[in-house]
Structures are given as structure tokens and as C-alpha cells.
Amino acid sequence: MTSFDEIYEVYLNRVVDRGLAKLIEEEDRYKDLQLKLQMAIARFTDLKDIEVDFDARTITKTTSDDGKLSLDEIDILVCWMIVEWATPLVLNENAIKERLTSTDYALYSPANMLNQMRNLLTESERRADRLSVKYGYLKNSKYGKTSRW
């Protein structure tokens, strides 16, 4: 089985979220991360044969000998978590303003920053979607490989 913490560690190494860092209570951080993970699992439709235990904070892959997710599967879940992280930033310009110092916000017009965030979201969605499609193709190919491409 794969613990949520293993997935969160990869996610937190890719995304520096000051808002998440401000959540002093560890349980609040876990709730935020768990919500992103739940949405990532829902969006990664080719990830089958898993059992998610929210109480134990684990994902067990029933078709794997050791029950662990592969690194590729974790990578794709993290990509979808990044999409979930970026979406509200694009939808809410106030969130962007809060993430910048007043000097940075004055240097960049909100329209330019919003455009940059939209580009980030689009690129993140494309990467997550591309990896998901590749995963599904390789998983369903006659060779049944899901190893690193």
C-alpha cells in the first residue's frame, strides 16, 4: 500500500504553497491535501483496481503484489493535484493578489498575472492529461507495461 504522505511529499516538493504553509494545524493541511488527492483520483480515470482508505490514509493497488502504486501513477496523481491547486488561482484574482507582495503586485498588472496563471493551469492540465493517456495506452497495450516511458 502507498501512504498519502508519500504522494503529499512529491506534491509539496513541486508546489510551494504559502497558503498551505500558513495552515498551522497539521489536520487542516491534511484536509487540504486530501481534498486535492481525492480530486486527482477522480480525474485519473485509468487508475483502476485501487482501494482508498481515508482513515488509514492509504491507497492499495489490488493488482500489485506489494499493493503499492508505481512511481508513474504517483507522478500522474501529483500532476492532477497541481491542476487542482492552480484552478482556484486562475478563477480568483484576489488569491493572486494575496500571494504577491504589494511591490510585486504593483509591478505586474493583474491581467498579466492572470494570463500567466492561466498558462500555468493550461500547461499543468495538458501534462496531466498527456501522462494519463500514455498510462492508459501502455496499461492496455498487448505488453501490459506501465513502467517509465
Side-chain angles (χ1 to χ4, degrees):
M1 75 183 76
T2 304
S3 75
F4 288 5
D5 289 332
E6 292 175 61
I7 298 167
Y8 297 162
E9 185 178 342
V10 175
Y11 170 79
L12 292 171
N13 280 323
R14 291 190 192 168
V15 173
V16 176
D17 188 344
R18 291 187 179 97
L20 187 60
K22 289 179 185 176
L23 295 175
I24 296 170
E25 297 296 323
E26 188 174 333
E27 193 58 36
D28 289 341
R29 278 191 294 258
Y30 271 112
K31 284 179 184 176
D32 184 69
L33 290 168
Q34 184 172 310
L35 180 60
K36 286 177 177 64
L37 180 58
Q38 283 178 279
M39 295 305 297
I41 291 168
R43 293 182 84 163
F44 186 9
T45 56
D46 282 320
L47 185 59
K48 308 276 190 224
D49 304 319
I50 62 167
E51 294 175 3
V52 181
D53 185 342
F54 290 103
D55 293 327
R57 296 180 176 164
T58 60
I59 300 175
T60 303
K61 184 158 185 182
T62 57
T63 56
S64 171
D65 292 335
D66 61 1
K68 291 183 104 20
L69 295 176
S70 70
L71 293 177
D72 294 331
E73 291 163 337
I74 292 172
D75 184 39
I76 295 168
L77 284 172
V78 167
C79 287
W80 282 119
M81 287 176 72
I82 291 169
V83 169
E84 291 302 317
W85 167 77
T87 299
L89 296 177
V90 171
L91 299 177
N92 185 354
E93 193 234 325
N94 288 332
I96 295 171
K97 186 174 181 178
E98 291 173 5
R99 293 183 187 286
L100 297 174
T101 64
S102 58
T103 306
D104 289 339
Y105 193 76
L107 288 173
Y108 304 107
S109 76
N112 287 340
M113 284 303 298
L114 188 56
N115 188 41
Q116 292 300 320
M117 292 306 298
R118 282 187 182 138
N119 289 341
L120 171 68
L121 178 60
T122 301
E123 288 173 26
S124 297
E125 285 178 326
R126 283 183 184 154
R127 181 171 191 263
D129 198 38
R130 188 176 64 248
L131 290 174
S132 296
V133 167
K134 238 179 199 178
Y135 173 85
Y137 173 76
L138 290 173
K139 182 178 177 196
N140 295 320
S141 74
K142 66 179 182 178
Y143 301 109
K145 295 181 180 178
T146 56
S147 62
R148 200 73 177 147
W149 39 83

